[in-house]
Amino acid sequence: MRSVTLGVSVAIVVLGYSAPPGASAPPQAAVTVFEGARLIRGDGSAPLEDAAFVVEAGILKAVGPRGQVSAPARATRVSLSGKTVIPVLVDLHAHVGFSRDGVFAPEHYTHDNIVDQLKRLEYYGVGAILSLGTDVGVDTFRIRDEQRAGQAGGATLYLAGRGFVAPGGGPPVAPLEHVPYEVERPGLGRIFVRELAAQKVDMVKIWVDDRNGTKPKLAPEVYRAIIDEAHKQGLRVMAHVYYLEDAKALVRAGVDGFAHLVRDRDVDDEFVQLMKEHKVFTCAALGVQAT
């Protein structure tokens, strides 16, 4: 069954506002009623069969069973019978641009390939994607700016620029190995964070992992400086982490989120409590295997 995705906008209503005398009424916004779909609301409730929902000026106004949702008489009606509607998906941990035809390689990192990936993601229901720490060069930033200016489509692209690792401690995947900043001094980490802030990134990424003892790990004094400077610049920090004790230390240092949770042992109660106290978020790492 083919799926249709729905993006929900947020409306701000100013209470108590009156138009000045003599002001003309604004034009009526377009209203569309979508009917007949199987609607998965994304809140854990059962799917709503034969649903209807009303969209006015890009804002979701009402949802319910068909025939029980009110809409203006002028509304346009669109049949979605036989289709399934879900909220848009959000991918918070991606490395956009390097993959093509199932092959992950540096030569694929081009403007056209990045645009193609964003369009494919949008087609399959992904509304927004965060490219997490491997945004080398200017292509992703140009595409982001083109999207913000309404000049490009596809899944909305958010960026972390280049992430941070210890010297020689980059990701083990060849195309990404030397993409992040390689930092061994706290002051240098602060300088690079300020560069990222000037690029208006949406997140800062750090890797704190020795790759099973084969690579140097980003030092605590360095990642503490990066987190501190990022917060001074109004930016949040996400960490790639492996060991439980590193994860605890990162939470105490002020990290905002994890790209995935620890993988060396089971999470303990102390870590769960730290995450709750510091309001640290984590991303679920999901994989799909083709058969």
Side-chain angles (χ1 to χ4, degrees):
M1 182 179 294
R2 185 181 176 187
S3 295
V4 178
T5 59
L6 170 66
V8 181
S9 301
V10 177
I12 299 175
V13 180
V14 182
L15 299 178
Y17 172 79
S18 297
S24 58
Q28 291 182 320
V31 181
T32 305
V33 182
F34 297 90
E35 300 174 309
R38 179 175 186 261
L39 178 64
I40 299 174
R41 287 169 282 196
D43 59 0
S45 61
L48 185 61
E49 307 293 343
D50 197 17
F53 55 94
V54 181
V55 177
E56 182 175 352
I59 299 171
L60 184 62
K61 290 291 189 176
V63 176
R66 178 155 52 171
Q68 299 181 30
V69 175
S70 61
R74 71 179 191 278
T76 300
R77 295 184 177 271
V78 176
S79 173
L80 296 180
S81 296
K83 297 179 171 59
T84 297
V85 176
I86 64 172
V88 294
L89 304 174
V90 177
D91 186 350
L92 289 179
H93 184 184
H95 302 290
V96 69
F98 291 94
S99 181
R100 183 176 179 181
D101 298 329
V103 178
F104 206 75
E107 58 267 25
H108 296 157
Y109 194 82
T110 65
H111 180 280
D112 289 347
N113 193 47
I114 295 166
V115 169
D116 180 69
Q117 285 188 6
L118 296 175
K119 290 180 178 179
R120 288 174 184 268
L121 287 164
E122 182 185 44
Y123 178 82
Y124 285 106
V126 177
I129 182 169
L130 173 60
S131 187
L132 201 52
T134 52
D135 309 306
V136 62
V138 299
D139 284 327
T140 50
F141 289 94
R142 286 176 177 168
I143 293 166
R144 178 200 63 182
D145 294 343
E146 289 167 0
Q147 285 187 332
R148 302 301 187 272
Q151 299 169 354
T156 301
L157 179 61
Y158 294 88
L159 302 175
R162 296 171 63 188
F164 293 85
V165 297
V173 183
L176 307 183
E177 190 172 10
H178 297 292
V179 169
Y181 293 117
E182 299 188 0
V183 183
E184 61 182 353
R185 301 193 307 277
L188 188 58
R190 290 182 182 275
I191 291 172
F192 288 144
V193 170
R194 291 195 288 269
E195 286 188 3
L196 291 173
Q199 292 177 303
K200 299 180 180 179
V201 299
D202 303 288
M203 190 73 68
V204 173
K205 169 71 177 292
I206 57 177
W207 279 266
V208 183
D209 184 3
D210 65 6
R211 306 293 178 179
N212 200 25
T214 63
K215 289 178 176 284
K217 190 190 302 182
L218 193 65
E221 64 270 20
V222 176
Y223 67 64
R224 284 195 293 264
I226 291 169
I227 293 170
D228 179 67
E229 187 64 36
H231 290 170
K232 287 180 179 178
Q233 300 295 328
L235 295 170
R236 290 178 294 178
V237 181
M238 284 181 68
H240 163 110
V241 69
Y242 189 93
Y243 300 106
L244 179 60
E245 292 308 313
D246 286 331
K248 292 178 181 179
L250 283 161
V251 173
R252 294 186 178 105
V255 78
D256 299 283
F258 292 107
H260 43 70
L261 282 181
V262 298
R263 292 169 287 179
D264 68 323
R265 67 185 77 178
D266 291 335
V267 170
D268 62 16
D269 291 340
E270 180 188 26
F271 181 55
V272 173
Q273 188 60 33
L274 281 170
M275 294 270 288
K276 291 171 67 175
E277 288 176 359
H278 293 266
K279 295 181 171 59
V280 177
F281 66 87
T282 186
C283 305
L286 305 177
V288 178
Q289 182 175 352
T291 58

